[in-house]
Amino acid sequence: MASQRIPVTLTINGQKIVRDIEPRTLLVHFLRDELNLTGTHVGCDTSQCGACTILLDNQAVKSCTVLAIQADGSEIVTVEGLEQEQLHPIQEAFREKHGLQCGFCTPGAMMLGAYLLNHNGPLTEETIREQLDGLLCRCTGYENIVRSIQRANEIMNERQNAQQAARATGVG
Amino acid sequence: MYTAPFEYRRADTVEQAIGWLANDPENSKVLAGGHSLLPLMKLVLAQPQVLIDIGRITALKGIRIEGDDVQIGAFTTYREIVESPEVNEFCPLLAQAAQTVGDVQVRNRGTIGGSLCHADPQADMPAAVLALDAELLIEGPSGQRTQSIDGFFLAPFITSLAPGEILTAVKIPKLPAGAHTTYLKRPHPASGYPLVGVGIWLTVHDQVIDNGHIGITGIADLPFRARHLEDFLKGRLLDAATIAQAGPLAADDANLDDDPYKKNLLQVYVTRALSQFGESFAAKGLNGKS
Amino acid sequence: MTQVMGQAVKRHEDIRLIRGQGQYTDDMKLPGMVYAYIVRSPYAHARITEINTSRAASMPGVVAVFTGRDVKDEVGLIPTAWIPPDADLKVTPHSVLAYDEVRYQGDGVAVVIAETPYLAQDAALAVDVKYESLPVVTDPFEAQKDGAPQVHTDIPNNIAFHWKAGENLDEIFAGAEVVVKQHFRQQRLIPSAMEPRSALAQYHAAQGELTLWATTQNPHIHRLLMSGILGIPEHKLRVIAIDVGGAFGSKIACYPDEVIVSWASKKLNRPVKWTETRQENFQVTTHGRDHVQEVELAGTRDGQIQAIRVKTYANMGAYLSTAAPGVPTILFGLIVNGAYKIPHASSEVLGVLTHTTPVDAYRGAGRPEATFLVERMVDLYAGAVQMDPLKVREKNLIRHEDFPYTNAFGLQYDSGNYQETVSKALQIFDYPAFRREQETLRKQGKYIGVGFSTYVEMCGLGPSEVAGAVGFQGGLWESATVRVHPTGKVSVFTGASPHGQGEETTFAQIVAEELGIPVDDIEVIHGDTAQIAMGWGTYGSRTTAVGGAAIHMANEKILEKARKIAAHKLEVNEEDVTYDSGVFSVRGLPSKGVTFQEAALDAYLAWNLPPGMEPALEGTAFYNPKNFTYPFGAHIAVVSVDPETGDVKLLRYVAVDDVGRIINPMIVEGQIHGGLVQGIGQALWEGAEFDNQGQLVTGSFLDYTVPKARFFPKFETAHTETPSPHNPLGVKGVGETGAIASTPCIVNAVMDALRPFDIQDLPMPLTPQKVWQAIRQAQTKEPAESK
């Protein structure tokens, strides 16, 4: 039974990955141990801390509570995949607003933050604090994480506006 | 921590899952979103030998209208419920409860079916499905059956699902037009589980309560319908006096231990939940003054 | 000058951390690495009657299974490294794996080593240990009574030490106009750093060398202690802590687990890694606080405090952890008078052993316990003499002109302007308006309250002579090497070991400012005993005050040498050379100059150095501080209490802190935020609980409330800057202030809200249930009973 191995195919940070795995392999361990994507962290056993948060088919989920095999065929983005040509707005904002100290919960915090940016809800101080229920941070006191997410939203809009402006100029 | 080893099978159809489950129902578990089961397995509090993944069975997914019912596939996530136009139009109470489950990440992954079958007495969804008179569609070796939600929860973590059966969908009768709904919850500060959760729908005409159901979770050994309270409310004015009298009645249907704080919480949350309906006529002097 | 100090420079460490490129211990993977899983006792107190490892040993992937008996003769005991003198301290023999008796739930009894972590856990669950359970005691007050279950048979009444300071105050208390007495329970806390502890050991047999990657706040202390435990000479041991995911005191101690993997690596000649689960973190990583305090305060009827007397039963857990005995004595007992001019004081502390997880430093370590009791006592005293608590504070605070101030225990507070922080806080918070609003709301049956905390703490640990005098088994100076490379780029090596506090940035700012070079030209290296000669680590808010000062001294050496080189090149006297913005120039002749980079290159080429000068450009300094530093401040909290549910809601929090000179205001604010959340967490939510069998009831994040974002309003922070006079940078320390000041501030606010119910005190955490019960009791009490 322990020897059962099952093939799994995943697209991780844009790259197709095929592996044979033991079915009990948790997605977080698959990322960390099989693929050396050690940016995603394990902070608890009970699905509370959120340090392992990743995007699974564009949804923020806790990769410690998903079997890798359950994610077969899915697209995954981890902290290592946030940066595309330039830093993702959430990365830039976390640095600018001091949204991290020890950095351990940070990958999870940023993945959750990146998800919130793309889910259209209003990003007020209060709503962000509520949506951080699935994240435990022992260093920052959260205030700068809230600021970082708000700032990331601004950066995202600034970049979109700049792109539009560039496009407009290009057309003109 | 890690789960003990198990054999993994991914079912493409309900029939296939049931077939596998029938081989060894005692040592097999059905895996949906995994947000109830996997944490238990990681703490080695559950050690199924066979895990049957129903996550790819398309028949178990999605929300649709079936006549007078909203039918929700067992493998529907909390987020899908929260965002569903059908749910928000015809049984918003379900979305209100789902919105308070766990956290963003848990709601993205956890499913209604998984939650109900796990039967944790400290879960949010039972309050809503009880108040909404849900019917459960169940399939097993001997075919399909429906089961009223009333009677589904037998004991903490034990349901009336027979070995080998799978919950396939939750059928919720559309609420009467104009029904008021609310789910008021007090989360445990650490776990976020409801210490008490009160789900209510009411229909009110000319300030008189026509009809209404109340489901309560978290506080007793099982989630329950507050039928005495419902009976009391019917035909009464929804005003401060009624609400003040109503609060204590919720305990009549609850199997509570004698913790006075729990009794108090139940009363306060029922009172506050009722008070939320129409601030205009309920705002005056409702703060438990007696 | 470049003016880099004082600026909110973005953190250097973030560049890797936001990309997921940090290197935490558990991220490490070495060829041939195997994984350890430690089998732990489910009992808090039991005799081990049998261990059967045969089934585990035969399971797939298992490399070895060892028990306490396999290990005990090959490694030493876990030492206690702080032995306060004149305290009759008894050593608590602590084997790396228990072999006869287990003394707390989680005590290790065996270790399984396997090819994967999954297989290691599988086999660990198959190790069959038979126990005979023994009686348990968990409460320190109960444990020191005659007849209590013994934790260590040769330590009577479980009293591990008995420490006293101060004078006999019987006469003063007998003659006092007002005496206030109160019991406090400083509940036990679980530090809960988000990164679980981890250790990876690699033994190199040919060289007889061991490399240990570990989650530690103090790699050099680890090297020193591990060398003794393992019998591997210090020069053959290398301890590395690159990125550490928070610690808060819980990664100071030397733990059995690190010894086990080190020993096993040598035994098996393979790298061995162990990472704790969160469940283990709850059970075996050191806890914090846990005092029973009996406090008395004497004063006049008009609000002058005359004396404070404290007797404390400090729960030490089952063994005396590395720094543990110093926490409830030196770091607590000597500062129970707080920020007040209290002429007479005495402290007595019993360090009591129980069948619980060992207790050690936790953010603030001793000072929160002291600050809590004095800040609460001031409020109770204010109530007793019917004065406003703020008035009593203003009347008793040490005044600006009193500095340096020597307290009743002989500590010399370096500098302060306490009144200024109070004034600044009151500019932010309109106190009279609050009292009016409070009165109005009370009439409507709504309860809000305000709490104050005007605190001082001692940090920047500390003078080594004092360390020796108080029994700390190490020095408390810090080292720095500033190495200028031929191109003028700089590597800084510090003996401090930051793990989230941002000193890779702060230290670079000090170097950039003082050497006049760009901050991006500087790399700060820490946490590797092979690269850094010696250091004492990061704890006690010491890193910038002590480690930063060492860097300042190293910078001075570099500038002195570079100036000589520049003078030689410019063919002028050294006295005629000025240095500004990275250029040495001749006084009055600004056009002729030598850049810092040119001087560096000259130093390395050594083609033409001043006669007798050695090549290269590098400064090493060892800074031994003359005193501790004493940050202070004024905090104000506003809460509401819902009488129907007992819910406490934090409405406002104003924190005015003076942490000395500020090098990076962004980082300082972040440190304060984090401290506040931990301190407020203690007041309202956090608390470890054991049942009467010594089982940890709050053993996961489901039960133990680590505060969440939604619990807090936006904090209102401000600063004053009173430099420390004895420290070359003028800095004090900021890591712990938030946690020290906020706990009593919140409790004072809740008690103020509850004033109409005449509730004197409630034990922390102030859970809704406790508050509701107290209100209900007050409401059902006969009116005659109230004062």
Side-chain angles (χ1 to χ4, degrees):
Chain A
M1 183 168 63
S3 57
Q4 187 193 11
R5 291 189 86 81
I6 307 184
V8 62
T9 305
L10 292 159
T11 305
I12 297 180
N13 301 328
Q15 203 186 342
K16 191 175 164 192
I17 304 280
V18 184
R19 289 280 195 289
D20 279 346
I21 57 164
E22 201 192 344
R24 62 169 163 164
T25 309
L26 294 170
L27 181 55
V28 68
H29 294 134
F30 182 73
L31 295 170
R32 288 178 57 79
D33 299 340
E34 285 281 333
L35 307 180
N36 285 324
L37 293 171
T38 54
T40 305
H41 296 150
V42 181
C44 75
D45 321 315
T46 53
S47 212
Q48 304 300 119
C49 79
C52 64
T53 301
I54 52 136
L55 298 183
L56 174 63
D57 293 331
N58 294 315
Q59 301 295 317
V61 303
K62 293 172 182 168
S63 61
C64 76
T65 313
V66 179
L67 297 172
I69 192 71
Q70 281 180 290
D72 192 15
S74 299
E75 281 198 26
I76 287 170
V77 182
T78 69
V79 63
E80 290 91 344
L82 278 178
E83 187 175 2
Q84 307 275 332
E85 288 164 25
Q86 57 180 339
L87 285 176
H88 187 282
I90 199 82
Q91 292 174 303
E92 204 175 307
F94 263 69
R95 185 166 185 229
E96 186 181 321
K97 293 295 172 189
H98 193 27
L100 66 152
Q101 290 182 24
C102 82
F104 193 80
C105 78
T106 310
M110 290 193 306
M111 297 315 291
L112 179 56
Y115 171 78
L116 296 179
L117 291 182
N118 289 314
H119 280 75
N120 299 332
L123 290 174
T124 66
E125 165 108 18
E126 198 186 336
T127 58
I128 294 173
R129 283 184 186 269
E130 283 169 3
Q131 299 196 78
L132 290 177
D133 270 352
L135 178 80
L136 295 179
C137 169
R138 199 59 157 164
C139 292
T140 63
Y142 301 106
E143 187 157 320
N144 287 343
I145 294 182
V146 175
R147 288 182 196 170
S148 298
I149 294 172
Q150 288 179 317
R151 176 68 191 130
N153 199 36
E154 286 170 15
I155 295 172
M156 203 170 67
N157 292 336
E158 284 163 17
R159 286 189 188 172
Q160 274 164 5
N161 292 342
Q163 253 173 19
Q164 274 163 11
R167 220 173 291 139
T169 324
V171 171
Chain B
M1 294 183 75
Y2 319 111
T3 76
F6 53 81
E7 185 189 325
Y8 173 87
R9 294 186 181 183
R10 180 184 296 154
D12 294 319
T13 62
V14 173
E15 294 69 37
Q16 193 178 31
I18 290 166
W20 286 337
L21 199 50
N23 290 340
D24 188 359
E26 294 301 322
N27 293 310
S28 304
K29 278 272 186 193
V30 171
L31 176 69
H35 273 51
S36 302
L37 183 58
L38 290 176
L40 285 182
M41 290 175 63
K42 282 167 65 184
L43 297 170
V44 206
L45 296 171
Q47 289 190 61
Q49 285 168 19
V50 180
L51 216 51
I52 299 164
D53 186 353
I54 58 167
R56 307 292 165 126
I57 305 176
T58 40
L60 297 180
K61 292 185 191 180
I63 298 169
R64 61 177 189 273
I65 303 296
E66 293 264 314
D68 288 334
D69 298 319
V70 180
Q71 186 164 320
I72 300 160
F75 197 93
T76 302
T77 63
Y78 301 113
R79 184 185 59 79
E80 287 161 346
I81 290 170
V82 169
E83 292 176 357
S84 157
E86 293 86 358
V87 169
N88 283 291
E89 184 174 357
F90 299 113
C91 50
L93 174 56
L94 197 71
Q96 289 162 334
Q99 178 64 55
T100 74
V101 173
D103 50 53
V104 169
Q105 301 98 305
V106 168
R107 291 195 290 275
N108 279 343
R109 188 77 192 158
T111 64
I112 185 171
S115 167
L116 297 179
C117 293
H118 184 52
D120 188 331
Q122 290 201 312
D124 295 289
M125 298 315 283
V129 290
L130 278 167
L132 290 167
D133 281 311
E135 288 227 309
L136 307 178
L137 304 188
I138 292 167
E139 283 190 49
S142 45
Q144 296 189 0
R145 68 180 179 98
T146 56
Q147 148 95 56
S148 162
I149 188 70
D150 217 353
F152 181 68
F153 301 112
L154 301 180
F157 305 102
I158 295 175
T159 68
S160 68
L161 272 186
E165 286 188 328
I166 290 177
L167 172 67
T168 57
V170 181
K171 230 162 95 173
I172 294 178
K174 290 179 185 171
L175 283 177
H180 301 269
T181 64
T182 189
Y183 180 67
L184 187 66
K185 166 189 184 177
R186 180 186 188 79
H188 183 281
S191 66
Y193 299 157
L195 294 170
V196 61
V198 180
I200 306 183
W201 67 263
L202 290 182
T203 49
V204 183
H205 285 114
D206 297 332
Q207 296 194 25
V208 175
I209 300 165
D210 267 355
N211 197 4
H213 287 181
I214 300 173
I216 296 175
T217 188
I219 195 118
D221 61 345
L222 284 179
F224 62 96
R225 272 278 291 279
R227 293 186 191 277
H228 283 92
L229 175 55
E230 292 171 7
D231 291 345
F232 168 81
L233 289 173
K234 269 170 216 159
R236 287 183 195 259
L237 272 176
L238 179 55
D239 64 4
T242 300
I243 292 171
Q245 283 176 279
L249 296 177
D252 288 357
D253 289 287
N255 189 6
L256 288 180
D257 53 33
D258 6 302
D259 180 346
Y261 185 64
K262 275 193 183 172
K263 281 202 176 109
N264 174 65
L265 271 189
L266 177 57
Q267 188 173 326
V268 170
Y269 273 73
V270 166
T271 305
R272 290 184 180 178
L274 287 170
S275 304
Q276 283 184 353
F277 296 118
E279 297 286 4
S280 56
F281 52 88
K284 297 157 204 130
L286 273 181
N287 244 353
K289 302 273 170 36
S290 50
Chain C
M1 266 316 209
T2 47
Q3 287 293 326
V4 190
M5 271 165 79
Q7 300 301 311
V9 173
K10 283 191 236 171
R11 297 203 325 167
H12 182 74
E13 36 280 81
D14 294 356
I15 293 167
R16 64 178 184 277
L17 297 178
I18 58 172
R19 291 179 164 93
Q21 301 300 318
Q23 201 174 42
Y24 301 89
T25 304
D26 188 54
D27 298 341
M28 296 284 302
K29 212 185 221 179
L30 297 176
M33 185 168 86
V34 286
Y35 299 81
Y37 194 100
I38 295 170
V39 180
R40 299 185 181 278
S41 168
Y43 293 91
H45 192 200
R47 190 165 293 118
I48 301 167
T49 57
E50 194 192 328
I51 303 184
N52 188 337
T53 61
S54 54
R55 192 159 70 92
S58 67
M59 287 176 66
V62 173
V63 175
V65 185
F66 300 112
T67 68
R69 294 199 183 277
D70 299 324
V71 187
K72 77 182 178 79
D73 296 327
E74 302 198 13
V75 298
L77 299 170
I78 300 293
T80 301
W82 198 336
I83 318 281
D86 307 318
D88 191 22
L89 186 137
K90 318 265 197 318
V91 172
T92 52
H94 187 182
S95 311
V96 296
L97 289 172
Y99 54 86
D100 53 354
E101 199 173 311
V102 289
R103 294 187 174 84
Y104 72 100
Q105 184 195 19
D107 222 351
V109 297
V111 59
V112 173
I113 293 159
E115 298 289 349
T116 75
Y118 283 55
L119 295 173
Q121 181 187 287
D122 291 346
L125 295 173
V127 172
D128 186 15
V129 188
K130 292 203 165 49
Y131 299 94
E132 179 189 315
S133 78
L134 294 168
V136 167
V137 64
T138 62
D139 179 85
F141 189 74
E142 296 303 319
Q144 50 90 45
K145 287 181 178 166
D146 289 337
Q150 286 279 116
V151 181
H152 295 266
T153 45
D154 49 352
I155 303 179
N157 291 56
N158 298 311
I159 296 171
F161 56 86
H162 187 179
W163 178 90
K164 287 180 193 173
E167 52 188 315
N168 186 313
L169 301 176
D170 290 349
E171 239 172 76
I172 291 168
F173 273 89
E177 290 175 2
V178 182
V179 173
V180 183
K181 297 184 182 187
Q182 187 64 47
H183 278 243
F184 294 115
R185 180 71 206 242
Q186 270 282 328
Q187 81 272 34
R188 181 180 281 237
L189 301 174
I190 299 179
S192 307
M194 292 321 301
E195 179 205 26
R197 282 188 304 117
S198 180
L200 163 61
Q202 183 177 32
Y203 188 70
H204 309 275
Q207 301 97 313
E209 288 177 2
L210 183 93
T211 305
L212 174 68
W213 289 262
T215 48
T216 172
Q217 299 174 234
N218 29 251
H220 290 87
I221 294 182
H222 260 67
R223 184 180 62 175
L224 181 61
L225 296 176
M226 293 288 283
S227 150
I229 301 166
L230 294 167
I232 297 174
E234 229 181 329
H235 68 294
K236 298 278 191 184
L237 247 175
R238 178 179 182 188
V239 179
I240 304 174
I242 302 172
D243 286 314
V244 175
F248 316 108
S250 72
K251 292 170 182 169
I252 293 173
C254 179
Y255 286 93
D257 322 294
E258 300 146 5
V259 178
I260 294 166
V261 293
S262 300
W263 172 82
S265 174
K266 189 174 170 187
K267 194 93 182 164
L268 303 170
N269 203 21
R270 289 180 75 170
V272 181
K273 184 163 87 174
W274 167 85
T275 300
E276 71 183 354
T277 64
R278 181 54 60 179
Q279 189 176 355
E280 285 177 295
N281 179 276
F282 270 91
Q283 287 181 0
V284 308
T285 294
T286 55
H287 293 176
R289 316 250 152 84
D290 205 342
H291 288 189
V292 173
Q293 300 169 335
E294 294 170 357
V295 190
E296 295 166 280
L297 182 145
T300 63
R301 269 184 219 104
D302 64 351
Q304 197 73 51
I305 305 171
Q306 292 166 309
I308 188 163
R309 180 158 64 185
V310 183
K311 182 169 182 181
T312 300
Y313 301 86
N315 193 346
M316 307 309 294
Y319 304 99
L320 291 178
S321 177
T322 310
V327 175
T329 53
I330 312 306
L331 296 176
F332 161 77
L334 300 180
I335 198 161
V336 294
N337 54 287
Y340 308 101
K341 233 172 158 170
I342 304 179
H344 307 286
S346 97
S347 283
E348 181 182 357
V349 181
L350 289 171
V352 187
L353 300 164
T354 61
H355 296 107
T356 60
T357 308
V359 171
D360 207 313
Y362 171 60
R363 201 168 195 166
R367 291 142 292 159
E369 297 91 308
T371 305
F372 180 83
L373 72 86
V374 69
E375 290 303 315
R376 286 289 299 128
M377 288 307 282
V378 167
D379 265 38
L380 293 171
Y381 172 60
V385 297
Q386 298 192 320
M387 281 176 70
D388 184 287
L390 188 59
K391 287 263 155 37
V392 175
R393 283 181 168 79
E394 281 166 347
K395 188 164 179 144
N396 288 279
L397 280 174
I398 299 160
R399 311 208 69 80
H400 185 46
E401 57 271 21
D402 296 328
F403 288 95
Y405 172 83
T406 304
N407 84 355
F409 297 101
L411 290 180
Q412 195 188 74
Y413 295 5
D414 56 351
S415 62
N417 189 342
Y418 299 175
Q419 287 75 15
E420 197 190 348
T421 57
V422 175
S423 310
K424 201 155 189 175
L426 292 175
Q427 284 165 20
I428 300 169
F429 174 71
D430 186 342
Y431 187 36
F434 171 84
R435 287 292 182 201
R436 288 193 295 275
E437 189 193 353
Q438 183 182 43
E439 207 41 52
T440 310
L441 288 174
R442 276 181 185 165
K443 287 181 189 136
Q444 300 166 15
K446 291 178 179 161
Y447 302 92
I448 60 172
V450 62
F452 298 96
S453 174
T454 46
Y455 75 97
V456 64
E457 64 125 336
M458 59 190 285
C459 67
L461 313 182
S464 300
E465 299 80 355
V466 176
V470 301
F472 182 75
Q473 306 294 297
L476 281 175
W477 47 268
E478 204 45 83
S479 75
T481 293
V482 177
R483 179 173 299 156
V484 184
H485 300 290
T487 53
K489 311 290 182 196
V490 172
S491 298
V492 179
F493 300 82
T494 173
S497 195
H499 41 276
Q501 297 88 344
E503 274 91 359
E504 287 179 30
T505 307
T506 324
F507 284 0
Q509 286 179 260
I510 297 171
V511 174
E513 177 85 26
E514 296 185 342
L515 298 188
I517 60 173
V519 76
D520 290 338
D521 285 0
I522 302 155
E523 193 76 27
V524 176
I525 293 128
H526 58 82
D528 181 354
T529 61
Q531 294 192 70
I532 294 129
M534 187 58 200
W536 295 97
T538 286
Y539 42 81
S541 304
R542 68 187 301 274
T543 302
T544 305
V546 189
I551 289 169
H552 164 83
M553 287 167 62
N555 287 341
E556 283 188 330
K557 292 182 181 179
I558 284 166
L559 280 182
E560 193 189 328
K561 185 167 180 179
R563 184 188 302 273
K564 285 196 169 90
I565 293 169
H568 182 70
K569 191 164 189 160
L570 294 164
E571 297 175 327
V572 295
N573 284 331
E574 204 185 320
E575 299 75 48
D576 296 329
V577 174
T578 62
Y579 186 57
D580 187 30
S581 303
V583 182
F584 294 96
S585 51
V586 182
R587 208 178 297 279
L589 240 172
S591 58
K592 210 175 161 199
V594 174
T595 66
F596 180 79
Q597 289 74 13
E598 286 167 343
L601 188 60
D602 279 6
Y604 279 92
L605 295 175
W607 292 341
N608 180 19
L609 288 176
M613 180 180 275
E614 292 176 5
L617 188 56
E618 175 168 323
T620 290
F622 303 90
Y623 173 71
N624 190 19
K626 293 185 195 70
N627 189 2
F628 300 102
T629 57
Y630 292 83
F632 57 91
H635 288 204
I636 302 175
V638 178
V639 302
S640 66
V641 174
D642 180 340
E644 289 185 351
T645 59
D647 284 334
V648 175
K649 190 169 163 56
L650 179 59
L651 302 175
R652 280 186 81 178
Y653 199 95
V654 176
V656 179
D657 296 284
D658 191 320
V659 300
R661 186 171 174 202
I662 291 172
I663 295 174
N664 186 321
M666 177 188 83
I667 289 176
V668 163
E669 194 195 22
Q671 288 294 306
I672 288 172
H673 287 170
L676 290 180
V677 161
Q678 277 174 300
I680 297 167
Q682 176 176 10
L684 296 179
W685 305 287
E686 296 185 41
E689 285 173 40
F690 293 93
D691 68 12
N692 59 11
Q693 290 306 303
Q695 301 286 309
L696 182 63
V697 180
T698 53
S700 80
F701 287 142
L702 292 165
D703 317 290
Y704 184 90
T705 306
V706 166
K708 297 177 183 172
R710 72 156 80 207
F711 298 179
F712 301 94
K714 211 175 214 165
F715 298 126
E716 300 163 67
T717 57
H719 298 280
T720 61
E721 277 189 69
T722 308
S724 173
H726 62 80
N727 162 313
L729 297 170
V731 301
K732 289 193 167 184
V734 66
E736 295 163 298
T737 57
I740 289 167
S742 59
T743 312
C745 193
I746 297 290
V747 176
N748 283 340
V750 175
M751 293 306 140
D752 184 58
L754 294 176
R755 192 130 304 154
F757 301 100
D758 195 27
I759 297 164
Q760 178 91 347
D761 188 55
L762 287 173
M764 295 185 290
L766 301 176
T767 59
Q769 185 161 0
K770 259 185 235 172
V771 172
W772 178 80
Q773 277 166 346
I775 293 172
R776 204 169 80 126
Q777 270 168 18
Q779 283 170 334
T780 53
K781 211 162 49 170
E782 290 294 315
E785 269 185 50
S786 58
K787 275 180 254 168

